[in-house]
Amino acid sequence: MVKKDTLLTTLGRNPQSHDWAVNPPEQRASTIIFPTLKDFEDAQTGKTVETTYGIYGTSTARHLMQALATLEGGDKTLLYPSGLAAITGSLLAFLRQGDHLLVPDSVYGPTRRFCDSVLRHYGVETEYYDPLIGGDIASLIRDNTRVIFTESPGSLTFEVQDIPAITAAAKQRGVITMLDNTWASPLCFQPFQHGIDISIQALTKYVGGHSDLLMGAVICKETHYKKLFNTSRWLGNAVSPSDCALALRGLRTLAARLEQHETSALALANWLKDRPEVTHILHPAFEECPGHEYWKRDFTGATGLFSVLFKPFSRNALAAMVDNLQVFAMGYSWGGYESLIIPFNPKNDRTVTHWSHDGVCLRIYAGLENVEDLKQDLEDGLRRLNRH
Ligand SMILES: *Cc1c(COP(=O)(O)O)cnc(C)c1O
């Protein structure tokens, strides 16, 4: 098989099916028509046409779905209107009233909010676990445990999970495993090779790549497809063909962009590590990052997002630093071409692990700007901070 960066330029294209144009067209449709009664009947059983209604996606979506499934080594892709919708759609597909769900304490905040509200109201019990639990997750599996959710590295705090140990324990008890693979993207971590059943990513981030797209994807093997598909269709999820075309465009340059994000993030993290204001770097490629050994063993690279823990300083000092940055901007999300920085406090979002750091935490996303300019921006910011 050709290498991933080559795959990215060839997947999800089929020029002979659309006048030999390099890229597939944006095919817009709600209604799909059936020339004969036989076509109409055959379509109900999926025999003749690939779609019976625009809500299931037109050929533009199918090109994207096929590309993502091949890239990850899965059979099928489902598309959702956001990364969060891909997560909630997956959980709803497999959980029933009375079920027990295991979720890492370092999970993406909105995922936690969904579990604590919607799932709780529908009678699903969520138990949070230490993201570094590894194979000991077996001791938390009950007879009614249906799903183990994972996210590696964790949002904001970057704990890398021992995914093979967790999926091995889950398999022994017939529990389904899901992974939010947004940070690594399919280029740096292969979910199926590590035993994951349901691979989820926010295409909003690296695949979109330009801060102008919201979309999520779930990739699975054939065995889990029907449940996911039916739940998604009954919920009424649909994505726009224009957004699918943007996601396909993003895929073409993903490898080149990720390489730059990885290099710049490592350069910034290494530079920050030696600053007197800094106490910890939470970047999976750093030994001091919890679970670093699993990153080294299981991942094929790093990407552009990491966190920095600082010594305590005042809110005014922090404002002096971040209010006047010239290149970095403050904003949620990441994965675009532009660098971002946000302060965060994980204390409020933990229920089973203890967050002991007292100083300021900043999450940094290294964009595609020249890394010397990024360093200078941070250095100027730290100078302003130290004046307070
Ligand atoms: C951003 C993000 C999501 C959600 O993606 P949206 O498209 O913004 O809904 C899910 N998981 C992780 C880890 C993310 O960073």
Side-chain angles (χ1 to χ4, degrees):
M1 196 155 127
V2 297
K3 301 197 169 43
K4 285 250 173 95
D5 35 4
T6 308
L7 263 185
L8 286 171
T9 68
T10 55
L11 287 173
R13 298 212 280 121
N14 199 12
Q16 63 272 29
S17 75
H18 41 265
D19 297 337
W20 297 97
V22 168
N23 293 301
E26 284 180 28
Q27 189 183 54
R28 307 192 68 87
S30 52
T31 298
I32 307 289
I33 54 175
F34 311 95
T36 67
L37 179 62
K38 183 164 187 320
D39 291 325
F40 182 77
E41 288 167 349
D42 283 355
Q44 313 302 315
T45 58
K47 260 192 232 158
T48 48
V49 292
E50 288 188 84
T51 189
T52 52
Y53 189 42
I55 202 167
Y56 308 128
T58 63
S59 68
T60 321
R62 286 197 298 279
H63 280 101
L64 176 60
M65 294 192 264
Q66 183 227 322
L68 291 170
T70 310
L71 194 61
E72 292 217 3
D75 295 325
K76 295 279 192 185
T77 304
L78 297 104
L79 299 174
Y80 297 80
S82 68
L84 183 58
I87 293 165
T88 60
S90 300
L91 291 170
L92 284 173
F94 292 98
L95 292 162
R96 305 281 177 275
Q97 185 178 29
D99 283 348
H100 175 242
L101 162 70
L102 287 163
V103 173
D105 214 20
S106 51
V107 77
Y108 177 63
T111 304
R112 179 186 285 267
R113 246 84 64 211
F114 174 76
C115 296
D116 293 347
S117 58
V118 179
L119 288 185
R120 192 168 67 83
H121 298 154
Y122 285 101
V124 174
E125 183 191 350
T126 301
E127 179 176 351
Y128 294 96
Y129 66 87
D130 181 342
L132 299 169
I133 195 169
D136 289 344
I137 192 107
S139 67
L140 299 183
I141 299 178
R142 310 178 191 163
D143 290 342
N144 63 337
T145 306
R146 283 275 290 164
V147 172
I148 299 175
F149 195 86
T150 62
E151 182 185 328
S152 180
S155 276
L156 299 171
T157 47
F158 295 89
E159 296 89 340
V160 184
Q161 296 198 257
D162 188 349
I163 298 292
I166 291 173
T167 56
K171 276 191 177 43
Q172 275 200 345
R173 301 284 297 273
V175 177
I176 287 169
T177 49
M178 302 180 179
L179 169 69
D180 182 339
N181 197 33
T182 303
W183 181 85
S185 95
L187 295 195
C188 294
F189 187 82
Q190 292 283 295
F192 297 115
Q193 284 175 15
H194 295 91
I196 289 289
D197 295 312
I198 310 290
S199 165
I200 305 168
Q201 55 173 316
L203 302 178
T204 305
K205 307 289 166 60
Y206 286 125
V207 172
H210 296 75
S211 305
D212 55 6
L213 176 73
L214 289 161
M215 201 185 286
V218 172
I219 294 102
C220 65
K221 298 287 188 185
E222 198 67 55
T223 38
H224 297 304
Y225 178 65
K226 213 177 165 75
K227 267 212 165 87
L228 286 160
F229 177 74
N230 280 336
T231 304
S232 183
R233 75 201 280 210
W234 304 140
L235 285 171
N237 284 319
V239 296
S240 135
S242 305
D243 286 349
C244 293
L246 281 179
L248 277 165
R249 167 179 295 217
L251 268 186
R252 306 304 174 203
T253 56
L254 180 63
R257 287 186 286 112
L258 277 188
E259 207 172 304
Q260 187 60 52
H261 292 305
E262 175 180 27
T263 306
S264 294
L266 281 170
L268 292 180
N270 274 308
W271 176 77
L272 282 161
K273 165 176 75 97
D274 296 329
R275 291 287 312 197
E277 303 86 351
V278 170
T279 66
H280 285 91
I281 302 289
L282 299 179
H283 183 307
F286 279 57
E287 251 169 57
E288 67 197 74
C289 187
H292 162 73
E293 61 270 32
Y294 310 126
W295 174 79
K296 221 163 126 183
R297 184 190 65 193
D298 300 335
F299 287 60
T300 53
T303 60
L305 190 76
F306 64 99
S307 288
V308 186
L309 309 188
F310 289 83
K311 291 176 184 160
F313 47 75
S314 72
R315 189 188 167 280
N316 282 350
L318 175 64
M321 176 185 177
V322 297
D323 286 356
N324 297 288
L325 291 168
Q326 301 300 305
V327 189
F328 281 93
M330 262 188 294
Y332 288 113
S333 206
W334 41 273
Y337 51 84
E338 83 291 6
S339 290
L340 294 166
I341 192 164
I342 49 163
F344 68 92
N345 182 358
K347 265 200 181 113
N348 314 328
D349 251 359
R350 306 240 144 192
T351 47
V352 297
T353 53
H354 180 63
W355 182 258
S356 54
H357 183 71
D358 279 329
V360 170
C361 315
L362 290 177
R363 186 185 72 181
I364 292 179
Y365 172 64
L368 300 177
E369 303 91 344
N370 186 289
V371 72
E372 293 309 318
D373 291 337
L374 294 175
K375 246 185 239 172
Q376 190 63 53
D377 204 22
L378 292 176
E379 187 165 9
D380 293 345
L382 290 172
R383 191 175 311 119
R384 290 190 298 273
L385 181 148
N386 284 322
R387 272 197 227 117
H388 277 263

